[in-house]
Amino acid sequence: MKETENHKAFPLLTPDIILQLAEQQLHCRCQAICRQLNSYINRVYELQTVDGQGLIIKFYRPGRWSRQAIEEADQFTQELQEQEIPVVAPLLLGNGTSLAQYKEIVFSIFPKTGGRFLDEFSEEQWLAIGRLLGRMHQAGASQTADNRETLHPRKTTAAQVDFLTGSDFMPPHLRDSFRHICSELITLITPLFANKETIRLHGDCHFANLIHRPGQGFFLIDFDDMINGPPIQDVWMLFPSYHQESLPEIELFLEGYQTFRPFNRSSLCLIEPLRAMRYIHYAAWCAHQSVDAGFLRQNPDWGSELYWQEEINDLAKQVERIQQKPDRATNNPMYK
């Protein structure tokens, strides 16, 4: 797959230009530091002002999001920050907004926020995460994000399946099998989304987007994948295992969450469907990044026959798990 025109914009970003853009927008002087950070979709660099303030400048890949969609994510984080909810929001730039543009590339600048990622949480930390997301969702429910997608199997997932099967990402002889298992999944889980609450979400709330600062607690970062959807989407990726193996953590989380906001326990039935949707979402994400030579160098097996066969097998296992869920949950008080 050949490099698209959108990818040709990034080579224009030389260190001199990046430093100049930051200095112009923030009316400051920067040291001769421009360290590129790992990001396939965007281009992200760490800078430092002459007085030692760390900065992160993010250049958004042209064509990935509309300017309006990026503005909605920035506005959401600024709204959360104004309510003293711990997030890392973009700085206001010289034009009075959080976004500026260099040629066709839109960019934001963030303060560098130190912290570390935790892959296991104590009981008190689960309560704290529940309180944090409860507060965020309370704000997220106050309005909609009209320029952001709505997470739903018939919308986002179906579009991703069409994207993956409509090109040459997978061997032709596996396309029918992939389409079949995805169709079975979408048909199975769509009724579970009926009448479920939809609010503004972080959308990609996993360990790497939740940093912990000693003495300050957790901060949410990277709202690039902000989406409208059921609140459980911002939770399930943090649990240590499948739904039935994470019941103690779920209870702790809900105790903290419900300090600030009610939680509809019936939406717990979406955990495993959302996991299956994530499999497809991630495959589509990889397909978008496969035009980047750096991605393929670091993921040489992506797109191989073995990769897609394992993807099909994983989806089939997840369908089986979802089909078993109603029987196991019938007498479970968590669903009442």
Side-chain angles (χ1 to χ4, degrees), residues 131-239:
R131 291 190 292 267
L132 171 57
L133 294 186
R135 294 178 67 199
M136 182 184 74
H137 288 170
Q138 186 72 10
S142 65
Q143 57 182 293
T144 58
D146 296 333
N147 295 288
R148 288 280 170 166
E149 291 183 327
T150 295
L151 184 65
H152 190 279
R154 291 286 184 195
K155 296 178 181 177
T156 49
T157 306
Q160 289 159 356
V161 172
D162 289 344
F163 169 67
L164 289 169
T165 57
S167 190
D168 57 355
F169 295 118
M170 67 183 72
H173 67 278
L174 292 179
R175 286 178 192 163
D176 285 345
S177 296
F178 184 80
R179 285 195 193 100
H180 176 77
I181 192 60
C182 291
S183 177
E184 183 179 357
L185 171 71
I186 291 171
T187 299
L188 174 65
I189 67 178
T190 293
L192 300 177
F193 283 76
N195 302 317
K196 294 296 189 292
E197 180 185 29
T198 296
I199 65 173
R200 290 180 297 172
L201 304 173
H202 180 284
D204 194 30
C205 190
H206 52 70
F207 297 111
N209 287 331
L210 188 67
I211 60 173
H212 185 264
R213 305 188 70 184
Q216 297 184 46
F218 289 99
F219 281 72
L220 284 163
I221 62 173
D222 194 356
F223 281 70
D224 281 3
D225 291 312
M226 174 189 168
I227 199 167
N228 302 294
I232 191 66
Q233 166 63 14
D234 275 347
V235 184
W236 71 265
M237 282 183 277
L238 297 172
F239 294 142

Side-chain angles (χ1 to χ4, degrees), residues 44-309:
V44 184
Y45 301 86
E46 180 181 346
L47 312 178
Q48 191 171 72
T49 65
V50 292
D51 60 3
Q53 179 187 0
L55 302 171
I56 302 295
I57 185 167
K58 179 186 292 187
F59 296 88
Y60 296 94
R61 174 165 292 176
R64 177 64 178 84
W65 296 277
S66 69
R67 186 183 181 106
Q68 293 81 0
I70 299 171
E71 287 173 342
E72 281 188 327
D74 285 357
Q75 289 164 4
F76 187 30
T77 55
Q78 289 163 346
E79 178 185 338
L80 295 172
Q81 190 173 70
E82 289 170 2
Q83 297 182 35
E84 299 184 345
I85 297 171
V87 299
V88 179
L91 300 169
L92 289 180
L93 304 180
N95 58 11
T97 74
S98 63
L99 291 180
Q101 191 162 340
Y102 173 70
K103 299 187 182 298
E104 68 266 47
I105 311 172
V106 175
F107 66 93
S108 297
I109 304 177
F110 298 79
K112 182 183 178 182
T113 303
R116 63 191 184 100
F117 308 128
L118 304 179
D119 55 9
E120 291 185 14
F121 304 126
S122 66
E123 290 188 2
E124 181 52 45
Q125 286 169 340
W126 274 115
L127 293 169
I129 291 169
R131 291 190 292 267
L132 171 57
L133 294 186
R135 294 178 67 199
M136 182 184 74
H137 288 170
Q138 186 72 10
S142 65
Q143 57 182 293
T144 58
D146 296 333
N147 295 288
R148 288 280 170 166
E149 291 183 327
T150 295
L151 184 65
H152 190 279
R154 291 286 184 195
K155 296 178 181 177
T156 49
T157 306
Q160 289 159 356
V161 172
D162 289 344
F163 169 67
L164 289 169
T165 57
S167 190
D168 57 355
F169 295 118
M170 67 183 72
H173 67 278
L174 292 179
R175 286 178 192 163
D176 285 345
S177 296
F178 184 80
R179 285 195 193 100
H180 176 77
I181 192 60
C182 291
S183 177
E184 183 179 357
L185 171 71
I186 291 171
T187 299
L188 174 65
I189 67 178
T190 293
L192 300 177
F193 283 76
N195 302 317
K196 294 296 189 292
E197 180 185 29
T198 296
I199 65 173
R200 290 180 297 172
L201 304 173
H202 180 284
D204 194 30
C205 190
H206 52 70
F207 297 111
N209 287 331
L210 188 67
I211 60 173
H212 185 264
R213 305 188 70 184
Q216 297 184 46
F218 289 99
F219 281 72
L220 284 163
I221 62 173
D222 194 356
F223 281 70
D224 281 3
D225 291 312
M226 174 189 168
I227 199 167
N228 302 294
I232 191 66
Q233 166 63 14
D234 275 347
V235 184
W236 71 265
M237 282 183 277
L238 297 172
F239 294 142
S241 186
Y242 296 106
H243 181 178
Q244 294 299 313
E245 287 75 48
S246 302
L247 300 183
E249 291 82 5
I250 292 173
E251 281 299 320
L252 287 167
F253 168 81
L254 290 178
E255 182 180 343
Y257 189 97
Q258 292 175 128
T259 304
F260 291 96
R261 188 172 192 269
F263 187 91
N264 184 350
R265 285 176 176 260
S266 70
S267 68
L268 293 172
C269 73
L270 298 180
I271 291 177
E272 297 311 323
L274 287 167
R275 190 188 309 278
M277 292 166 64
R278 181 77 174 184
Y279 292 168
I280 298 169
H281 169 86
Y282 183 71
W285 182 88
C286 289
H288 279 292
Q289 307 328 308
S290 65
V291 297
D292 190 315
F295 173 83
L296 293 177
R297 281 194 299 269
Q298 294 192 33
N299 300 273
D301 295 331
W302 187 87
S304 66
E305 180 171 346
L306 177 60
Y307 171 87
W308 288 111
Q309 189 60 66

